[in-house]
Amino acid sequence: MTVSYTGDVGNANVAALGKLLWRWKGSIWKAVYIELLLWLLGYGALSLIYYTYMDEVQKRYFEALCVFFAKYADLVPLTFMLGFYVSIVISRWWDMFDNIGWIDIPALYISNHVHGRDDESRLTRRNLIRHLLFYQVMVYRDISIVIRERFPTLETCVAAGYITMEELAKFRGIGSRFPQYWTPIAWVMSGLRRAYREGRIHSPQALQDLQDRVLAFRGNLGTLLGYDWVPIPLLYSQVVSLSVRIYFIIGILGRQNLIQAVDQKYIDPINMYFPVMSTLQFIFYVGWLKVAEALLNPFGRDDDDLEINWLIDRNLEVGYMIIEEREEIPLTRDNFWGESVIYPLYSEETVKTAHNPMVGSAVNMKLRTNSSVMVPRLIDDEAEYTARSNSIFSFSPLVSIQRRLSRVGNGFGPEENSVSDINKEFRKISTPTPISVIHSPLPRQNSSAATHNLGELHVVVEEDEDTEWKKKWLE
């Protein structure tokens, strides 16, 4: 079943790599060794016949055939086709794992919202959990051969404690032509409504939360039913599986070590009787395909299939344990009560372990200045002015006033400005014609525009000759 190796690769070093590569269960060696041995036997048999039993004429025909297969074998887009297929399978497999159905969240909600210490309240909670678990067993009986063998009939579910004989009689009495996955969920919903009527659920909001959790649990397992019903199209799986295997069947001829050939590039200068590179290619490509084949259905008996029997057993025990009412934990002071600064503790072996704390990447940057003086940004860009004044949307007056960087006779600084100077409102300028404004702290030389000095404010005003044209264009 599931092969766990995470602990062996906790450190990225050669020893961890060795532990990873030389595992047998769930490994690439176990997946490909039978097919690899068959392929090597076929390759060796043809090579032996070629070198030992063929005459010169037969060798020439055999060499021509080998060159033909070697020349056209690489036309198969094996890497693209196989990579896309494996990515689809892994994505599908991971979504299946996300939806295998953990009882913890529904059980925690039931424990929190269905109150009462009497036997009736306890019976209500246990029935809700039991019916949810029965629904899970029903689903896995239909999609997993492992669970089907464990529960071959519904009577075995009665013996296992998931349903009573009376409930089984009612279940079969419904007589639906379709699988009755909805029946246990309907029983759970009915039990929640009864608990609400009897006052064991204290609010409609709590009832709604419980129903949402039950439906989420049902949705998770319903997703598995959908994946089982609609697998990856058979055509695609057949194309990929046949392509990989036919490619290497052709390679039995195309990878032969020839004595001579019509095309000299198909003759190896080193006479290697064992196909080293072809063997490595076989391991990689066929191993890649085996990954997809093993993950197509993760509910079987393969080494990497999911441990559904363990999941069902665990849900049964944990679900019942969560919903039991227990005494509340008394409030106690923690070890850091009254401490203004908390110092976490370490074991003696780890206390000197170096940390890499979260620090911004710009924190340690060396700046050229540490000045705290802030000044306004004065725009004096001719290209920006031209773009603004030539815009077809600039026919209305555009007035932009900026303060000068320096005062007359004094430097501009925070300590020399009063609050009233800083917060002074910009003054509006009225002109008889539409205007545009040059963003400039100082008057421009050789400019025919009207210049206005307004105290500390400086404005250069120009007539916009294209304003009338722009109005006509817009109309």
Side-chain angles (χ1 to χ4, degrees):
M1 297 312 208
T2 304
V3 180
S4 180
Y5 60 89
T6 310
D8 294 338
V9 293
N11 298 317
N13 51 35
V14 177
L17 179 63
K19 292 180 181 179
L20 183 66
L21 290 180
W22 297 113
R23 279 176 168 264
W24 176 253
K25 186 178 181 180
S27 67
I28 186 175
W29 323 116
K30 184 178 179 180
V32 306
Y33 82 97
I34 294 179
E35 294 184 48
L36 178 60
L37 288 177
L38 292 175
W39 187 82
L40 289 175
L41 286 174
Y43 180 91
L46 279 179
S47 181
L48 180 63
I49 293 172
Y50 170 64
Y51 281 102
T52 307
Y53 298 104
M54 289 185 180
D55 56 27
E56 293 300 320
V57 177
Q58 291 173 335
K59 285 182 178 179
R60 301 294 85 80
Y61 280 113
F62 182 80
E63 290 164 354
L65 186 63
C66 291
V67 169
F68 172 80
F69 282 120
K71 184 177 181 180
Y72 294 106
D74 290 334
L75 294 180
V76 180
L78 199 60
T79 303
F80 169 76
M81 187 165 51
L82 186 56
F84 188 64
Y85 180 69
V86 172
S87 67
I88 292 176
V89 171
I90 290 180
S91 175
R92 184 173 178 269
W93 169 82
W94 190 253
D95 194 35
M96 286 184 179
F97 174 73
D98 283 341
N99 291 279
I100 58 176
W102 302 93
I103 199 62
D104 303 52
I105 293 180
L108 288 170
Y109 269 76
I110 291 172
S111 175
N112 186 58
H113 290 310
V114 182
H115 303 279
R117 296 179 179 273
D118 58 304
D119 289 344
E120 191 68 23
S121 300
R122 185 167 176 257
L123 188 60
T124 299
R125 291 191 294 268
R126 294 179 72 87
N127 271 264
L128 294 173
I129 290 295
R130 183 166 57 81
H131 292 154
L132 285 175
L133 295 175
F134 174 57
Y135 166 69
Q136 186 176 43
V137 171
M138 282 184 60
V139 171
Y140 280 122
R141 283 183 71 249
D142 290 350
I143 66 175
S144 172
I145 57 175
V146 176
I147 306 303
R148 192 72 179 191
E149 290 174 349
R150 177 179 173 178
F151 301 103
T153 63
L154 289 179
E155 281 75 14
T156 58
C157 295
V158 175
Y162 290 97
I163 191 174
T164 65
M165 287 300 298
E166 293 78 11
E167 291 169 343
L168 180 58
K170 291 182 179 179
F171 181 86
R172 286 176 169 167
I174 295 174
S176 176
R177 296 184 296 113
F178 303 101
Q180 296 177 201
Y181 303 119
W182 49 269
T183 303
I185 301 301
W187 290 349
V188 174
M189 292 296 190
S190 175
L192 291 175
R193 291 195 305 270
R194 182 174 60 250
Y196 177 69
R197 289 195 307 268
E198 295 173 352
R200 294 182 174 86
I201 299 176
H202 293 169
S203 67
Q205 292 79 11
L207 176 62
Q208 184 63 50
D209 284 344
L210 286 167
Q211 291 174 340
D212 290 342
R213 290 301 97 199
V214 170
L215 293 177
F217 186 78
R218 185 259 170 226
N220 289 338
L221 296 170
T223 300
L224 301 184
L225 288 170
Y227 276 129
D228 182 76
W229 180 37
V230 184
I232 294 176
L234 178 62
L235 176 63
Y236 195 12
S237 299
Q238 288 176 336
V239 167
V240 175
S241 297
L242 286 175
S243 297
V244 174
R245 289 174 172 88
I246 290 176
Y247 176 83
F248 285 102
I249 290 174
I250 292 173
I252 292 177
L253 287 169
R255 304 300 175 86
Q256 289 290 334
N257 190 17
L258 305 177
I259 300 174
Q260 61 180 355
V262 266
D263 194 337
Q264 294 299 314
K265 72 177 183 178
Y266 293 102
I267 299 178
D268 294 328
I270 301 176
N271 191 2
M272 297 187 66
Y273 294 98
F274 185 81
V276 178
M277 299 307 299
S278 297
T279 300
L280 293 176
Q281 190 181 33
F282 186 96
I283 292 173
F284 298 147
Y285 276 109
V286 176
W288 201 4
L289 176 63
K290 290 292 184 178
V291 171
E293 292 178 346
L295 301 182
L296 269 176
N297 181 9
F299 304 123
R301 300 191 190 92
D302 293 330
D303 287 342
D304 280 306
D305 284 344
L306 302 178
E307 297 282 356
I308 303 303
N309 266 321
W310 175 88
L311 175 69
I312 289 176
D313 296 342
R314 185 249 179 211
N315 280 353
L316 179 65
E317 180 178 336
V318 172
Y320 280 137
M321 293 183 70
I322 289 176
I323 60 173
E324 289 297 330
E325 284 280 348
R326 294 179 177 86
E327 295 292 335
E328 294 183 355
I329 301 298
L331 298 177
T332 56
R333 293 186 178 185
D334 54 76
N335 293 343
F336 305 104
W337 181 268
E339 298 289 340
S340 58
V341 179
I342 295 178
Y343 295 97
L345 301 180
Y346 291 78
S347 65
E348 293 180 356
E349 292 78 11
T350 62
V351 68
K352 295 183 179 180
T353 304
H355 285 185
N356 182 23
M358 184 179 68
V359 179
S361 58
V363 169
N364 297 321
M365 186 177 69
K366 295 181 179 180
L367 303 177
R368 289 179 292 179
T369 177
N370 291 324
S371 174
S372 60
V373 177
M374 305 297 289
V375 296
R377 179 174 181 266
L378 301 180
I379 303 175
D380 192 18
D381 189 359
E382 186 67 29
E384 182 173 348
Y385 162 69
T386 303
R388 290 188 181 185
S389 61
N390 292 336
S391 172
I392 62 173
F393 301 106
S394 63
F395 59 87
S396 60
L398 299 175
V399 179
S400 176
I401 303 174
Q402 295 188 336
R403 297 181 180 276
R404 304 169 78 180
L405 276 176
S406 61
R407 286 179 171 180
V408 178
N410 291 320
F412 186 89
E415 68 280 0
E416 298 176 359
N417 289 288
S418 64
V419 177
S420 61
D421 289 336
I422 295 176
N423 295 329
K424 186 180 293 183
E425 295 289 333
F426 290 159
R427 305 176 191 174
K428 215 168 186 181
I429 300 176
S430 300
T431 58
T433 59
I435 61 173
S436 296
V437 175
I438 299 176
H439 296 247
S440 175
L442 297 174
R444 295 171 180 249
Q445 296 180 356
N446 303 325
S447 175
S448 60
T451 302
H452 301 270
N453 290 302
L454 306 175
E456 293 181 1
L457 302 178
H458 177 76
V459 180
V460 179
V461 182
E462 290 185 348
E463 293 186 2
D464 191 343
E465 298 177 355
D466 297 330
T467 301
E468 294 298 324
W469 175 84
K470 293 170 186 175
K471 288 183 179 179
K472 292 180 181 179
W473 189 90
L474 287 175
E475 292 173 354

